[in-house]
């Protein structure tokens, strides 16, 4: 997503600029006056930072893995955890971070609606296997459940704040994820997403 397209606002209580991270997006910063925020249903957000260089970021992905080859629309691959996490790690490394210093916190993966193929559970299973396989440490997590979450992450300090969302904001997050999931299903030949 282009920076000019980002939804931002100044949070006077936090005394910092909020940068919204939407599904299929990621953002990296080393500015202490910024925090990253998102709302998650079945999606997962991975928050990472290198505390040695004071740089970190967040992604927001919809599905664990899939066909990451989209030459005409390379940003579509960011909807998949496997690609999105690597992009986040590489962005931190490109700013002087080191893979061995990375601290990760993961959130989301709720099953907000009863379904035969719960995407939230699949996303969390993927995260747990991915981090174990890659040898990356998860410092904190708030995963699974049945309720949407609102997340704030401060990449420079590593502080994360998460709260359950049970009102219209949570419904809006679920509907947005479902709409994106339906578009993915149509483009990939009918995969059941939500």
């Amino acid at each position: 997503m282009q920076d000019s397209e980002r939804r931002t606002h100044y949070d006077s209580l936090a005394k910092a600029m909020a940068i919204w991270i939407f599904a299929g997006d990621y953002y990296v910063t080393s500015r202490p006056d910024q925090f990253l925020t998102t709302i998650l249903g079945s999606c997962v957000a991975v928050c990472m930072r290198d505390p040695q260089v004071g740089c970190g970021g967040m992604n927001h992905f919809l599905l664990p893995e899939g066909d990451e080859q989209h030459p005409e629309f390379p940003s579509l691959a960011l909807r998949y955890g496997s690609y999105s996490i690597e992009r986040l790690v590489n962005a931190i490394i490109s700013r002087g971070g080191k893979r061995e210093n990375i601290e990760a916190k993961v959130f989301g993966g709720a099953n907000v609606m009863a379904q035969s193929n719960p995407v939230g559970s699949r996303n969390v299973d993927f995260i747990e296997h991915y981090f174990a396989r890659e040898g990356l440490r998860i410092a904190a997590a708030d995963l699974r459940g049945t309720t949407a979450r609102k997340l704030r992450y401060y990449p420079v300090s590593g502080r994360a704040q998460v709260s359950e969302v049970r009102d219209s904001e949570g419904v809006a997050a679920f509907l947005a994820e479902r709409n994106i999931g339906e578009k993915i299903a149509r483009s990939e030949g009918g995969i059941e997403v939500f």
Side-chain angles (χ1 to χ4, degrees):
M1 177 177 292
Q2 300 287 330
D3 282 343
S4 62
E5 298 170 346
R6 290 195 178 279
R7 192 170 108 191
T8 64
H9 73 273
Y10 184 76
D11 185 307
S12 58
L13 292 175
K15 295 184 172 58
M17 184 64 69
I19 311 292
W20 281 88
I21 308 301
F22 296 104
D25 191 16
Y26 78 101
Y27 188 82
V28 173
T29 185
S30 57
R31 292 181 53 180
D33 63 338
Q34 291 182 340
F35 68 90
L36 310 178
T37 189
T38 196
I39 297 176
L40 303 161
S42 59
C43 290
V44 169
V46 175
C47 303
M48 292 182 162
R49 75 183 187 117
D50 181 331
Q52 303 298 316
V53 296
C55 176
M58 174 196 291
N59 71 7
H60 180 155
F61 68 85
L62 288 102
L63 299 167
E65 298 179 282
D67 178 14
E68 297 162 2
Q69 302 302 314
H70 297 280
E72 65 281 2
F73 301 108
S75 65
L76 291 179
L78 287 169
R79 65 188 175 197
Y80 299 112
S82 53
Y83 184 74
S84 184
I85 294 169
E86 284 305 313
R87 289 288 302 267
L88 184 58
V89 168
N90 290 338
I92 293 168
I93 290 170
S94 74
R95 293 174 179 229
K98 294 184 179 169
R99 190 175 181 90
E100 61 270 15
N101 294 341
I102 288 180
E103 168 192 273
K105 297 180 179 182
V106 293
F107 305 92
N111 292 315
V112 292
M113 304 257 325
Q115 51 195 321
S116 62
N117 189 9
V119 172
S121 292
R122 287 181 25 227
N123 281 337
V124 174
D125 292 344
F126 162 77
I127 280 291
E128 291 169 345
H129 290 110
Y130 181 90
F131 275 78
R133 182 181 71 233
E134 295 294 319
L136 295 168
R137 181 178 61 90
I138 297 176
D142 185 20
L143 299 164
R144 301 191 191 273
T146 58
T147 308
R149 296 165 171 88
K150 183 171 185 174
L151 170 63
R152 283 184 169 192
Y153 180 64
Y154 298 79
V156 174
S157 70
R159 187 176 79 184
Q161 300 170 317
V162 79
S163 60
E164 289 186 351
V165 179
R166 296 183 184 270
D167 57 11
S168 61
E169 202 171 38
V171 172
F174 168 74
L175 292 174
E177 287 180 1
R178 187 182 70 188
N179 290 340
I180 293 169
E182 288 171 353
K183 288 178 186 175
I184 292 169
R186 283 192 299 273
S187 71
E188 294 185 351
I191 296 171
E192 180 186 346
V193 180
F194 296 93

